[in-house]
């Protein structure tokens, strides 16, 4: 299984600011995903980030609010822009392969917006 | 059609008992059904997964039962232990052009195993 790290592990931010979350994988992967997990809730897919193409966003999530970069096959970033308290969540990246459905998750970034 | 419905929301089981969590789906394009275990402050960890070509898969104390005609699948935890206390999520994904690889998660079940 892939080893995934995320930075920062947690942060407390002020309303109106932006935070960039990094996701690093120990091997090259084709597909990376970003999920949001609101307090006490399930996971909701924000977008799919494939290297060499624009991220694909799910309904309810837009690029201006959650810009994503995928510069290579081991790294991706998710920015949460112009934050409000409603953005307080755990943000998780996951990785999967082209020929496997298995997805592995990073430890998550716990974001609190004041 | 993209929903995965999970029940119960919470479950309390005595040590040594059987924990059963159920999920149902609508989208017949789904062809991969994993279960994840999540401890507080951690990311979800893949526990066990099944494809529709088999009706049951067992790994240690964990078993998935799959009913394709009913579009239901369940997780059984045999001989439940206090260390199994966590939140469990079922999920589904398919290979259709619109959702390749992405997981649709159930609402989650918080399991407490009492000593």
């Amino acid at each position: 299984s892939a080893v995934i790290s995320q930075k920062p592990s947690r942060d407390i931010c002020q309303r109106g600011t932006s935070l960039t979350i990094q996701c690093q994988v120990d091997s090259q992967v084709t597909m990376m995903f970003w999920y949001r997990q609101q307090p006490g809730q399930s996971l909701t897919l924000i977008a799919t980030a494939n290297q060499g193409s624009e991220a694909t966003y799910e309904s309810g999530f837009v690029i201006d609010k959650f810009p994503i970069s995928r510069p290579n096959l081991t790294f991706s970033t998710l920015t949460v822009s112009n934050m409000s308290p409603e953005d307080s969540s755990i943000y998780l990246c996951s990785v999967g392969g082209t020929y496997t459905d298995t997805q592995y998750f990073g430890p998550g970034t716990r974001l609190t917006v004041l | 059609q993209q929903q995965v419905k999970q029940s119960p929301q919470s479950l309390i089981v005595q040590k040594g008992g059987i924990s059963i969590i159920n999920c149902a789906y609508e989208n017949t394009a789904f062809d991969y059904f994993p279960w994840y275990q999540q401890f507080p402050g951690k990311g979800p960890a893949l526990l066990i997964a099944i494809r529709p070509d088999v009706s049951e898969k067992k790994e240690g104390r964990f078993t998935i039962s799959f009913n394709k005609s009913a579009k239901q699948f369940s997780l059984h935890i045999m001989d439940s232990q206090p260390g199994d206390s966590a939140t469990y999520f079922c999920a589904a994904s398919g290979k259709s052009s619109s959702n390749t690889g992405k997981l649709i998660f159930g609402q989650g079940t918080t399991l407490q195993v009492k000593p």
Side-chain angles (χ1 to χ4, degrees), chain A residues 4-49:
Chain A
I4 306 163
S5 60
Q6 286 185 234
K7 290 182 180 180
S9 59
R10 59 177 61 227
D11 207 341
I12 300 173
C13 300
Q14 296 297 318
R15 181 195 298 262
T17 63
S18 298
L19 176 72
T20 295
I21 302 168
Q22 299 179 5
C23 179
Q24 179 76 52
V25 190
D26 69 340
S27 59
Q28 292 185 341
V29 293
T30 303
M31 304 180 78
M32 295 182 78
F33 305 88
W34 286 98
Y35 289 82
R36 180 175 73 183
Q37 186 175 26
Q38 294 177 304
Q41 301 297 313
S42 185
L43 288 82
T44 300
L45 181 65
I46 297 172
T48 302

Side-chain angles (χ1 to χ4, degrees), chain B residues 3-71:
Chain B
Q3 281 189 322
V4 177
K5 296 182 179 180
Q6 183 173 344
S7 62
Q9 184 176 358
S10 62
L11 182 62
I12 300 175
V13 174
Q14 292 293 326
K15 178 182 177 181
I18 302 174
S19 304
I20 301 174
I21 305 171
N22 301 298
C23 283
Y25 64 98
E26 290 294 327
N27 191 342
T28 55
F30 288 149
D31 61 2
Y32 175 71
F33 302 90
W35 284 90
Y36 285 85
Q37 178 189 57
Q38 186 177 32
F39 292 104
K42 304 291 186 182
L46 179 65
L47 198 58
I48 187 172
I50 197 168
R51 293 190 177 279
D53 52 345
V54 297
S55 60
E56 186 175 282
K57 183 175 181 179
K58 184 176 180 180
E59 290 185 1
R61 296 184 295 110
F62 301 94
T63 300
I64 299 179
S65 296
F66 187 84
N67 185 329
K68 187 174 181 179
S69 61
K71 291 186 283 187

